[in-house]
Each structure stands twice: as C-alpha cells, then as structure tokens.
Amino acid sequence: MTPDHGNQPVGSKVELSAIVPISIRHVDVKALHAQYRDALASISGSYEIIYVIDGAFGEVIAGLDELLRAGEKLTAVYLTRTFGESTALMAGFEQALGAVILTLPAYYQIDPADIGKLVSALGSADIAVARRWPRVGGPAERLRRWAFHGLVRWMTGLSLHDLG
C-alpha cells in the first residue's frame, strides 16, 4: 500500500473523511471527483477524499495523478494487487484523519447532492445508512438481497435495506 497525500497536509485537522474504493467497477475518476468534491464542499467543515485503487487500473491512476498535478486535495492509496473491496476500505480507514467516515462508490450509484443529507442525518447518532431506491436487478438479485437483509434482521433485530 502506497499512499500519496497530494496537497493534504499530513496530520491536518479533518472533520470528515470520504473513502472511495476503486475496483473493476468504476467511472471516470476526474468527473466523479468533481462531483464528490463539490458535494463535500457544500457541507460545513473540513473534509478529505481518499481514493483506494484496488488493483492495476492505469486510467484511474493517470486520472488521479492529473488531479494531483492540478492542485486537487486528495489522498490516493495504491494497493499492489487486487485484494477486494473490504481490504480497500480498511486501507482507506487506516489513512482517514476525520472523526466522521463516509464511504462512497466509484460509480454512479448515488446522487452526490444527497451526501449532505446523509451527513446531517448523523446528528447525535453514531451511524447513518443510506438506502438506494428504487433498486434494479433481476429475480436472482432481488432474492439475494431479500435473503441477506432477512439474515441481518434476524441477527440484529434491525430492519435495514440495501446493505451492499
């Protein structure tokens, strides 16, 4: 794991850390960064964006390098090979400086304008979970989600939806 903190001063005070694990399913990182940066900038408080590249994705690395050269404040963590999303998230958590941690997808699955709503939902809570709705997918995907959420509900007593 090789972190590149770009313009982010190491040890600086950050209130919110946004972690974006990048794997096989991703979109243009420069366009995604612009949307996430704008959404986070609209929230009061300091923030950082951490990209964890889970494998060899040359176009992503080139895009992040271009953003860093342009003066964008971001941290890029490059994993030496593909380890999976859980490992990528853990690598991002290790780099995070913020008291609040937000995980974001590397593809268009959420509306960046709703990020502020999610963060404000924290209020005095310890965790806020967003729900993607409406969800798409075939019968097998819907059955898989139903079974997984049923197991979570049985184990925790919580009725949560859309836990990826």
Side-chain angles (χ1 to χ4, degrees), residues 9 11 15 20 31 54 65 67-68 74 78 82 96 102 115 121-122 160 164:
E15 294 173 52
V20 184
D54 184 31
D65 287 346
L67 288 168
L68 286 166
L74 62 94
Y78 306 98
T82 302
L102 175 69
I115 291 173
L122 281 170
L160 301 174

Side-chain angles (χ1 to χ4, degrees), residues 9 28-29 51 54-55 64 72 88 90 95 103 113 118-120 125 128 147 150:
D28 176 56
V29 72
Y51 295 94
D54 184 31
L64 290 173
E72 288 291 328
M90 289 305 299
Q95 299 298 317
T103 60
L118 180 63
V119 173
S120 67

Side-chain angles (χ1 to χ4, degrees), residues 30-78:
K30 293 184 293 184
L32 190 69
H33 177 76
Q35 291 181 4
Y36 285 164
R37 179 201 59 220
D38 293 348
L40 292 167
S42 71
I43 302 169
S44 64
S46 59
Y47 68 91
E48 66 177 344
I49 303 175
I50 302 169
Y51 295 94
V52 182
I53 297 80
D54 184 31
F57 301 105
E59 75 282 2
V60 172
I61 294 168
L64 290 173
D65 287 346
E66 190 176 322
L67 288 168
L68 286 166
R69 282 193 303 276
E72 288 291 328
K73 295 181 179 178
L74 62 94
T75 299
V77 178
Y78 306 98

Side-chain angles (χ1 to χ4, degrees), residues 2-163:
T2 310
D4 181 349
H5 291 278
N7 296 330
Q8 183 68 39
V10 177
S12 65
K13 175 120 171 72
V14 174
E15 294 173 52
L16 184 142
S17 296
I19 301 171
V20 184
I22 299 178
S23 61
I24 193 80
R25 187 174 176 192
H26 62 272
V27 296
D28 176 56
V29 72
K30 293 184 293 184
L32 190 69
H33 177 76
Q35 291 181 4
Y36 285 164
R37 179 201 59 220
D38 293 348
L40 292 167
S42 71
I43 302 169
S44 64
S46 59
Y47 68 91
E48 66 177 344
I49 303 175
I50 302 169
Y51 295 94
V52 182
I53 297 80
D54 184 31
F57 301 105
E59 75 282 2
V60 172
I61 294 168
L64 290 173
D65 287 346
E66 190 176 322
L67 288 168
L68 286 166
R69 282 193 303 276
E72 288 291 328
K73 295 181 179 178
L74 62 94
T75 299
V77 178
Y78 306 98
L79 301 182
T80 57
R81 63 178 180 85
T82 302
F83 289 95
E85 187 175 51
S86 294
T87 300
L89 285 169
M90 289 305 299
F93 294 155
E94 288 176 3
Q95 299 298 317
L97 302 172
V100 173
I101 296 179
L102 175 69
T103 60
L104 297 171
Y107 45 90
Y108 297 116
Q109 189 173 37
I110 64 164
D111 181 355
D114 289 338
I115 291 173
K117 292 179 193 175
L118 180 63
V119 173
S120 67
L122 281 170
S124 62
D126 292 329
I127 187 170
V129 179
R131 178 180 184 190
R132 298 169 287 188
W133 186 262
R135 290 287 289 154
V136 296
E141 176 62 20
R142 286 193 301 273
L143 179 61
R144 184 196 66 77
R145 284 196 305 261
W146 175 83
F148 175 75
H149 291 105
L151 180 62
V152 168
R153 190 171 19 263
W154 177 74
M155 292 176 65
T156 66
L158 299 174
S159 181
L160 301 174
H161 300 277
D162 196 33
L163 296 174

